[in-house]
Amino acid sequence: TPTAYDNDRVPELSRFFGIINRMFVEVGAPHHRPHFHAAYKNATATFALDPIECIGGELPRTQRRLVEAWAEIHHAELLDAWHRLQSGQSPRKIDPWQ
């Protein structure tokens, strides 16, 4: 669950409409394609960035669509967060709707 995440390794990038978006630090050499995790109530899903698609888990339909739209709008910021996090830097927070 999101509350069990270690916030240093899984910082919160953005929160909107009860959806929490986080990104993991890959230990060692990154071995996954760039992605982030979205949580809503008891549901979680993983979304790849290139292309933006759900690659694991499941969210309710409305929340999934919101996350996908948000990720499209903030694609460059999400890629920047991925690269910063994997290089040991803190990612920048992402405003939900700007």
Side-chain angles (χ1 to χ4, degrees), residues 11-72:
E12 183 179 310
L13 298 176
S14 190
R15 180 185 296 238
F16 52 88
F17 300 122
I19 303 165
I20 301 169
N21 297 300
R22 296 179 181 269
M23 193 174 279
F24 284 91
V25 173
E26 298 267 331
V27 178
H31 56 278
H32 294 106
R33 62 199 254 210
H35 64 279
F36 67 97
H37 302 266
Y40 176 75
K41 296 186 179 181
N42 293 327
T44 59
T46 302
F47 291 85
L49 298 179
D50 282 317
I52 295 168
E53 63 180 337
C54 183
I55 58 173
E58 192 171 311
L59 293 178
R61 183 176 175 186
T62 298
Q63 285 69 29
R64 178 178 171 154
R65 287 182 171 182
L66 285 169
V67 169
E68 289 169 341
W70 173 82
E72 290 285 347

